[in-house]
Amino acid sequence: QFTFHFQTLKDDFERTVIDDSREAGMPMEIIVGKMFKLEIWETLLSSMRIGEVAEFWCDAIHTGMYALVSRGMRRIAEGRDPLEGQKHRCGMGNMFDYHSTGYDDLDELQRTPQPLIFIMELFRVEDPSAYKRDTWAMSKEEKLAAVPVLHSEGNRLVLRREFAQAAAKYQEAVICLRNLQAKEKPWEDGWLKLENLVTPLVLNYCQCQLELGEYYEVLEHTTELLQKHNDNAKAYFKRAKAHAAVWNEREAREDFQRVAHLDPSMAAAVKKELKQLGERMRKKHVEDRKRYQGLFQSSQGV
């Protein structure tokens, strides 16, 4: 894997800058042998030493795919999916599918490929086993393979009570699966198989958030889950605990009762939670009453 900064310039009198990775605020990373659209970059970077800055002039025969490469990089810098809207075809096929890249200067390059100048600064070279790939850059097979690894790492971190780190692992696994789900038709077999993998990861993520006190996040994710799976007792249980934590007594009781109805084996746990909820609410009512009495007496004194 090469990590580098680059500038792309037109071969004109002004040396017009098309892209600058430093201005975009992020370096570029490519992996040798992974069929990167702009193959000439692999050749150029392979000729460089770490720390070297070099300038290359490339003929139009090597730069025809630059518009698509730049489009993806710009989308990433903007926080968007670089593959958004792409069809499942090769890079050249995709180029003809697009009427516009969404960027005027890149549309010009796409219509009339031309020589370009690349100024590159290579600052890191890593063995493939030494780096972690971004989710968006993974193939379908890599995403599927990453999910059980991330799930296992999350479980290990939970045992060590490192809940924030565990939540990040579960969240990354969910993102992998959601990206794959987006390419499936909702509620059909492929989509459902992925959804069955997503559900326990979301529940584990919510448990971490409960431990971290992020109760409204739990409410958001469990409610979203229950909109699709309204018979999931564990989701109701976690949502009930979050409601209880933020003093939503009625909602908490309703969710706990649903848990006991859906899964009688959880009845003992529900009974314990309802008892604790009742005690907390009684204590809160006493404290509130004292507070209001104090305010009333203060106002009478004034």
Side-chain angles (χ1 to χ4, degrees), residues 222-276:
T222 51
T223 298
E224 182 181 350
L225 189 62
L226 288 165
Q227 287 170 349
K228 290 184 279 190
H229 310 285
N230 62 4
D231 60 348
N232 192 304
K234 291 182 179 178
Y236 278 118
F237 189 78
K238 295 184 193 304
R239 190 172 74 171
K241 287 177 69 70
H243 275 309
V246 296
W247 309 106
N248 296 338
E249 182 181 12
R250 179 179 59 81
E251 292 87 346
R253 289 187 180 279
E254 288 176 356
D255 279 352
F256 280 133
Q257 288 165 3
R258 287 192 187 100
V259 173
H261 174 72
L262 289 167
D263 188 351
S265 70
M266 298 181 71
V270 167
K271 184 177 180 181
K272 179 182 176 182
E273 292 289 342
L274 285 171
K275 182 180 178 182
Q276 290 178 350

Side-chain angles (χ1 to χ4, degrees), residues 1-4 28-49 56 58 62 69 118 120 122 125 133:
Q1 180 190 15
F2 292 124
T3 305
F4 59 100
M28 181 67 183
E29 297 175 346
I30 66 171
I31 305 150
V32 175
K34 288 291 185 178
M35 298 180 68
F36 184 63
K37 287 187 179 75
L38 206 62
E39 293 181 19
I40 190 64
W41 274 15
E42 291 188 12
T43 303
L44 302 181
L45 290 162
S46 295
S47 72
M48 296 176 63
R49 301 186 193 90
F56 301 95
C58 292
H62 296 299
V69 171
F118 300 116
M120 295 178 159
L122 178 62
V125 178
R133 296 188 67 184

Side-chain angles (χ1 to χ4, degrees), residues 17 31 33 59 68 74 86 89 93 95 99 107 139 149 168 186 193 198 205 215 224 230 232 242 264 271 286 290:
V17 176
I31 305 150
D59 193 87
L68 287 184
R74 292 183 187 186
Q86 275 198 16
R89 294 173 58 184
M95 184 165 71
H99 296 292
D107 286 345
S139 67
V149 175
K193 286 178 182 177
V198 167
Y205 174 82
Y215 305 118
E224 182 181 350
N230 62 4
N232 192 304
K271 184 177 180 181
V286 170
K290 288 180 179 178

Side-chain angles (χ1 to χ4, degrees), residues 177-193:
L177 293 169
R178 290 298 190 206
N179 286 345
L180 294 174
Q181 251 188 336
K183 296 177 175 63
E184 301 286 345
K185 193 168 182 180
W187 301 106
E188 292 197 350
D189 287 347
W191 188 94
L192 287 169
K193 286 178 182 177

Side-chain angles (χ1 to χ4, degrees), residues 6 8-10 16-20 63-75 78 80 95 98-114 116 118:
F6 73 94
T8 302
L9 293 75
K10 285 187 177 181
T16 305
V17 176
I18 300 171
D19 289 305
D20 187 333
T63 64
M65 297 300 295
Y66 183 77
L68 287 184
V69 171
S70 177
R71 176 183 184 272
M73 292 185 293
R74 292 183 187 186
R75 282 179 173 270
E78 293 165 4
R80 300 160 66 190
M95 184 165 71
Y98 288 114
H99 296 292
S100 171
T101 62
Y103 304 93
D104 291 342
D105 57 340
L106 299 183
D107 286 345
E108 177 192 345
L109 291 180
Q110 187 166 274
R111 284 191 299 269
T112 56
Q114 55 193 269
L116 295 173
F118 300 116

